Amino acid sequence: METIRIRHIPKCVDIAMVVLLAAGFGVHLEAITSGQISAVIAEAAVFAVFITGVILALTVKTKIQFGEDSGIQCRWLFLRWKIDLEKLQTVTYTVSSYRTRGGGTSYIFLLRFYEDCKHPEKAGRLKEHLEQRVAEDCIREKYDRVQLMKLYRYIEKQYPEKAKGNE
């Protein structure tokens, strides 16, 4: 069984952080209007949980195990999920870049898992953030330093009819 670790944050964690941020603003407004010490303590607790979540999102990597059966086991902190290769129709990958708010450029390697090609919006995803040098290597089709490419190569070897390559 092979194991790789990537910087991938599950979508539900992103959603939870947005909800927590909205709750924090609500508690903050309550603390301002009421002036009670309990509201201030609640505000500090929500803020502490939010900061902890940000730190975890920046430091914890997703662990991906594959190679024993048709399943890919994924784990981020205490969240676990499985991708069943037998149920998939197609697997593709993409290297892309986008501008960040600070003016820099961020690069990602995106692996998509399609169970139903008629509904591409429902595709499963694993995303690895890349450094600039690694992204430049990908443009030259050198994927040696991309961890998710190891998973794609495994899928390509075991299920060549499902591995469709770069989209």
Side-chain angles (χ1 to χ4, degrees):
M1 177 170 272
E2 190 165 346
T3 301
I4 59 174
R5 295 182 193 285
I6 61 170
R7 288 182 10 198
H8 169 83
I9 302 169
K11 192 171 203 145
C12 62
V13 173
D14 289 338
I15 293 168
M17 293 300 288
V18 169
V19 169
L20 192 57
L21 187 61
F25 281 123
V27 171
H28 178 68
L29 291 175
E30 175 66 26
I32 289 173
T33 57
S34 72
Q36 295 179 350
I37 192 72
S38 61
V40 173
I41 292 171
E43 179 183 12
V46 170
F47 181 70
V49 171
F50 178 77
I51 293 299
T52 303
V54 169
I55 291 169
L56 288 173
L58 293 173
T59 59
V60 175
K61 291 187 174 187
T62 300
K63 180 180 177 183
I64 301 171
Q65 294 181 314
F66 57 94
E68 257 183 27
D69 55 7
S70 68
I72 300 168
Q73 307 292 328
C74 303
R75 188 183 80 189
W76 183 86
L77 206 56
F78 55 85
L79 300 174
R80 296 174 187 261
W81 67 98
K82 182 178 180 180
I83 300 167
D84 189 0
L85 294 173
E86 293 288 334
K87 293 181 181 179
L88 299 178
Q89 286 184 356
T90 304
V91 179
T92 63
Y93 66 88
T94 304
V95 178
S96 59
S97 66
Y98 59 91
R99 289 287 197 188
T100 61
R101 287 191 180 134
T105 304
S106 184
Y107 302 93
I108 59 168
F109 183 92
L110 182 63
L111 199 57
R112 288 189 179 105
F113 304 94
Y114 297 95
E115 283 189 27
D116 183 5
C117 292
K118 294 178 183 175
H119 300 284
E121 68 278 359
K122 295 182 181 180
R125 299 170 177 222
L126 285 175
K127 178 172 60 173
E128 180 178 359
H129 294 271
L130 304 174
E131 296 176 8
Q132 182 178 356
R133 291 180 308 233
V134 176
E136 289 170 357
D137 285 346
C138 291
I139 291 169
R140 295 177 189 93
E141 297 189 19
K142 296 179 185 176
Y143 297 99
D144 300 340
R145 296 189 289 173
V146 179
Q147 293 296 306
L148 272 180
M149 187 50 102
K150 294 177 184 177
L151 174 59
Y152 182 79
R153 295 290 185 225
Y154 167 77
I155 295 168
E156 194 175 46
K157 187 188 301 183
Q158 299 298 320
Y159 301 93
E161 71 282 357
K162 295 180 182 192
K164 300 297 182 190
N166 193 359
E167 57 176 358

